[in-house]
Amino acid sequence: MKRDSRPNPKESRIRSRLVWRLFAALSCLLLLSVFAIDLYLTPILKQVLLQIAGDALADRAYLLREHLAVLPERTWTPERIDALADRIAAEIEARVTILDATGRVLGDSTLDGAALQQVENHLYRPEVQAALVDTYGRSTRYSFTVKEEMMYVATRAGQGFVRVALPLQEMAFLRRRVLTGLVGATGLALVAAGFLAWLIARAFTRSWREMADVARQIAGGDLTRRLTIGRSDEFGTLARSINEMGENLQQHFFAITHERNQLLAILEGMTEGVLVADAEGKILLVNPPLTAMLGITGACVGATLLECVRNPEMHAAINNVLQHGVSDHREVFLRETGEKRSLMMHSRPLDFDGRHGVVALFYDMTRIRRLEDGRKEFVANVSHELKTPLTSIRGYTETLRGGALADPAVAQTFIEKIEKHAIQLQALVEDVLQLAESESGRMELHKTAQPLAPAIEAVRADVADFLAEKQLAFSSPMAGDHTVMADPHALKQILANLIENAMQYTPTGGAITVTAVQQAHACAITVADTGIGIPERDLPHIFERFYRVDRARSRDVGGTGLGLAIVKHLVHAHGGEITVASRPGEGSQFTVTLPR
């Protein structure tokens, strides 16, 4: 139905009468306000301004008192005190006077030189006398020194008194400005009263329309809408009820939004994965750590876990909780990415207004399982390496006890073999202990500038007999003086392990060469041999503990399988790198880069 836009005569008459009544009431109220300001508010305003000024001066006096209290008595000289008064007065924007205990003026921010010396004694000034018997004294009077009316506040301070003063002219000016502004505002209000009365009358006739519009907008979701009607009749009561309803709805909405944002922040900051599903098993929420663990996206919200992750164990855990209402704890494994990952999944029921859902926490156990597997493998390898020499030693010992001691030649041979295996066991134990120390990060390195040539020569001298026995040629053609920053014992061990490894896998008549190349901030040391080489498939594993390319040959030459692992950890502890290049039948080249 189309609304008639023509004015209603009755509504116009009512609006006109209301406008005049409102105008008359507002005019009387404004005129009465002018008289009230003149008769009542003026002395109150003066008293308030004086009180505010007095409190401000008292605060400044207390601060100055605390500052003077710590000054030694010997510093209370007119020169120092007057300079202090000038500096503090500039900071607090007030006149500062400092007196000694007899009332003599030691410093004044408005006086200096001869004028300061001629100023009369201030002990009997009202504010100073009041400060003698109370916390502070205050007075207002005309100052003949600065030629204007002043407010003074004095208090005890250190060896005497401190007084702070402000001119009352500023407060009088401020009072006049306030009164002038109020009177001017009253005049402007009288001019606007007629227009305001017309607006109020017009608003009254349209109040119900505004209420209906605001209520509709709040119901539509605009919770910031409010009514501006401030009436005391039925319309005002209804308007306040609508505003209270909108305010309550807005507060509840903000509270829910705040709690939701807090929950999201907590879920995003967790290292554990979190999944929430409803009674049908459809995902309601997943946090970012879980999306990273499972490789899923936010698009999975609304779908089941099995639709997003093809893992029957996870699906079975969710179903077990939903069907039986009990918690479920199990370890699940992911193999989709090619790397086996282990996740500990803890699921428990969750109540949704009487309907059961499920919340599941996921802990990534991959690294822990990998460390456990490494520990088990290490224990197994050590046990295996110890078993062979121990079995041999025990067999030789039983043979000797069984009568072989009667034959000196046989006994000598068995004893030599026992000694050989004992030496092998000792080397294994020493390598295991050193590897454990280097991997623990507690190894102490004393790095100094170490020349390479003497270190290489010392290793060559240690293995000279073995080189001669296998007829291996050893050379270290290095031009210039090559120096690295390294621990001397660790450097020798790095070179010894690399050279011994080269000797073990180089046939009789071969050659071993040690070279060094100086770089900008490092030195590259290369140990090359003409040995049997390393297959390409074994290159990524040769620095692993107990890894051997040819296990039978390694045991024959007495290797423990830990030498290259020790070298890698020692090099990394020095901040260096180690690489290898090799081809079967063409020898190997191990390059260690250490800081210069």
Side-chain angles (χ1 to χ4, degrees):
M1 179 177 180
K2 186 175 180 180
R3 182 179 181 273
D4 189 1
S5 61
R6 290 177 298 178
N8 189 331
K10 184 177 180 181
E11 181 181 338
S12 298
R13 288 193 299 271
I14 295 174
R15 183 183 300 172
S16 178
R17 288 196 298 269
L18 183 60
V19 167
W20 283 109
R21 290 175 181 174
L22 288 173
F23 178 75
L26 290 173
S27 299
C28 293
L29 180 63
L30 291 172
L31 291 174
L32 289 174
S33 299
V34 173
F35 287 109
I37 291 172
D38 185 50
L39 297 177
Y40 179 73
L41 294 182
T42 299
I44 294 178
L45 180 60
K46 179 179 180 180
Q47 183 179 359
V48 170
L49 290 175
L50 289 174
Q51 183 64 37
I52 292 174
D55 293 342
L57 286 176
D59 291 340
R60 297 174 185 177
Y62 292 153
L63 291 175
L64 184 53
R65 179 183 65 182
E66 298 298 328
H67 183 73
L68 293 173
V70 299
L71 292 179
E73 184 177 358
R74 65 177 181 276
T75 62
W76 281 67
T77 63
E79 294 78 7
R80 293 186 179 181
I81 295 299
D82 188 51
L84 178 63
D86 294 341
R87 187 175 73 253
I88 295 178
E91 294 178 359
I92 66 176
E93 298 181 352
R95 180 184 175 186
V96 175
T97 305
I98 301 175
L99 318 174
D100 63 9
T102 65
R104 184 168 64 98
V105 178
L106 299 179
D108 192 295
S109 59
T110 60
L111 302 173
D112 53 19
L116 181 63
Q117 296 176 0
Q118 296 174 3
V119 70
E120 62 183 357
N121 190 287
H122 282 36
L123 181 63
Y124 295 100
R125 296 295 168 90
E127 63 275 6
V128 177
Q129 288 294 310
L132 287 172
V133 297
D134 203 350
T135 306
Y136 72 95
R138 187 173 73 181
S139 67
T140 303
R141 66 177 183 277
Y142 182 81
S143 173
F144 292 95
T145 303
V146 297
K147 309 303 182 184
E148 61 179 312
E149 191 175 5
M150 304 284 290
M151 173 180 279
Y152 299 93
V153 172
T155 184
R156 287 181 174 273
Q159 309 298 325
F161 302 89
V162 60
R163 188 182 69 176
V164 184
L166 278 178
L168 294 181
Q169 183 180 359
E170 297 181 4
M171 286 181 283
F173 175 73
L174 178 60
R175 186 171 66 253
R176 287 194 298 271
R177 284 193 60 185
V178 172
L179 294 177
T180 302
L182 289 175
V183 172
T186 303
L188 292 176
L190 286 172
V191 176
F195 181 69
L196 180 62
W198 179 80
L199 289 178
I200 293 174
R202 186 171 182 268
F204 179 80
T205 59
R206 297 185 178 181
S207 296
W208 64 272
R209 297 179 186 174
E210 184 180 358
M211 293 180 189
D213 291 341
V214 171
R216 252 191 319 268
Q217 291 171 358
I218 292 177
D222 187 2
L223 301 179
T224 61
R225 290 287 298 170
R226 297 290 182 273
L227 287 167
T228 56
I229 299 176
R231 305 167 63 96
S232 60
D233 55 6
E234 290 79 3
F235 283 107
T237 302
L238 181 58
R240 283 190 294 273
S241 298
I242 293 175
N243 286 342
E244 289 176 3
M245 177 189 67
E247 187 69 26
N248 291 334
L249 288 175
Q250 187 177 23
Q251 290 179 0
H252 288 311
F253 178 77
F254 285 160
I256 293 172
T257 303
H258 180 67
E259 291 177 0
R260 178 179 178 274
N261 292 338
Q262 281 186 329
L263 177 61
L264 291 178
I266 293 173
L267 292 175
E268 290 178 0
M270 296 174 62
T271 57
E272 299 83 4
V274 179
L275 178 143
V276 180
D278 60 13
E280 284 90 29
K282 293 183 179 179
I283 297 176
L284 300 177
L285 180 145
V286 289
N287 68 337
L290 184 61
T291 61
M293 289 181 193
L294 304 182
I296 60 178
T297 63
C300 286
V301 174
T304 64
L305 181 60
L306 189 60
E307 292 173 343
C308 299
V309 182
R310 299 293 181 179
N311 190 291
E313 281 292 319
M314 293 184 185
H315 184 65
I318 298 295
N319 283 341
N320 184 39
V321 175
L322 292 176
Q323 292 176 5
H324 302 96
V326 296
S327 299
D328 185 283
H329 308 283
R330 65 180 70 191
E331 187 172 7
V332 296
F333 299 94
L334 299 177
R335 298 180 179 86
E336 287 83 356
T337 59
E339 178 187 3
K340 181 180 178 182
R341 299 186 62 193
S342 172
L343 301 178
M344 187 62 68
M345 181 178 179
H346 299 279
S347 309
R348 58 175 301 171
L350 190 64
D351 185 54
F352 288 111
D353 297 330
R355 301 185 63 193
H356 291 295
V358 59
V359 56
L361 294 179
F362 293 81
Y363 303 88
D364 193 344
M365 306 290 290
T366 305
R367 183 174 178 273
I368 296 176
R369 294 292 181 257
R370 189 180 295 121
L371 292 175
E372 290 178 352
D373 293 342
R375 178 180 57 81
K376 293 176 182 178
E377 181 182 359
F378 179 76
V379 172
N381 287 332
V382 171
S383 301
H384 181 73
E385 295 295 332
L386 292 173
K387 181 179 179 181
T388 300
L390 287 174
T391 302
S392 300
I393 291 174
R394 182 176 180 181
Y396 292 137
T397 304
E398 290 177 352
T399 303
L400 289 173
R401 292 179 60 187
L405 282 174
D407 189 341
V410 174
Q412 181 65 28
T413 302
F414 282 10
I415 290 174
E416 291 176 356
K417 291 183 178 181
I418 290 174
E419 182 183 16
K420 175 184 176 183
H421 287 294
I423 294 173
Q424 184 178 353
L425 281 175
Q426 182 181 4
L428 177 61
V429 171
E430 291 176 353
D431 286 350
V432 169
L433 292 176
Q434 175 147 12
L435 182 62
E437 182 182 7
S438 61
E439 288 183 344
S440 67
R442 296 190 297 269
M443 177 182 291
E444 293 185 5
L445 297 177
H446 303 284
K447 299 179 184 179
T448 56
Q450 298 293 320
L452 282 178
I456 295 173
E457 180 59 28
V459 175
R460 188 202 65 78
D462 291 341
V463 298
D465 294 340
F466 192 80
L467 290 172
E469 180 182 347
K470 292 191 65 174
Q471 301 178 8
L472 298 176
F474 184 91
S475 60
S476 55
M478 291 187 294
D481 184 16
H482 299 287
T483 305
V484 295
M485 287 298 297
D487 181 273
H489 178 71
L491 177 62
K492 182 177 180 181
Q493 191 165 12
I494 292 171
L495 295 172
N497 282 344
L498 291 178
I499 293 173
E500 290 174 1
N501 185 75
M503 292 189 305
Q504 291 172 0
Y505 294 98
T506 300
T508 301
I512 298 173
T513 305
V514 182
T515 59
V517 177
Q518 205 80 330
Q519 299 175 351
H521 302 288
C523 181
I525 308 166
T526 301
V527 178
D529 61 63
T530 59
I532 60 176
I534 304 171
E536 185 177 358
R537 67 177 182 275
D538 295 313
L539 287 176
H541 306 287
I542 59 173
F543 294 108
E544 296 177 2
R545 297 170 297 187
F546 295 109
Y547 189 85
R548 293 188 178 94
V549 177
D550 186 347
R551 292 185 177 272
R553 179 177 176 83
S554 297
R555 291 196 183 93
D556 290 340
V557 297
T560 63
L562 296 175
L564 293 180
I566 294 174
V567 170
K568 181 190 73 171
H569 286 288
L570 290 176
V571 171
H572 288 175
H574 282 79
E577 295 292 335
I578 182 170
T579 58
V580 59
S582 180
R583 295 183 64 180
E586 298 181 7
S588 304
Q589 291 183 350
F590 288 84
T591 301
V592 172
T593 304
L594 295 176
R596 292 179 59 178

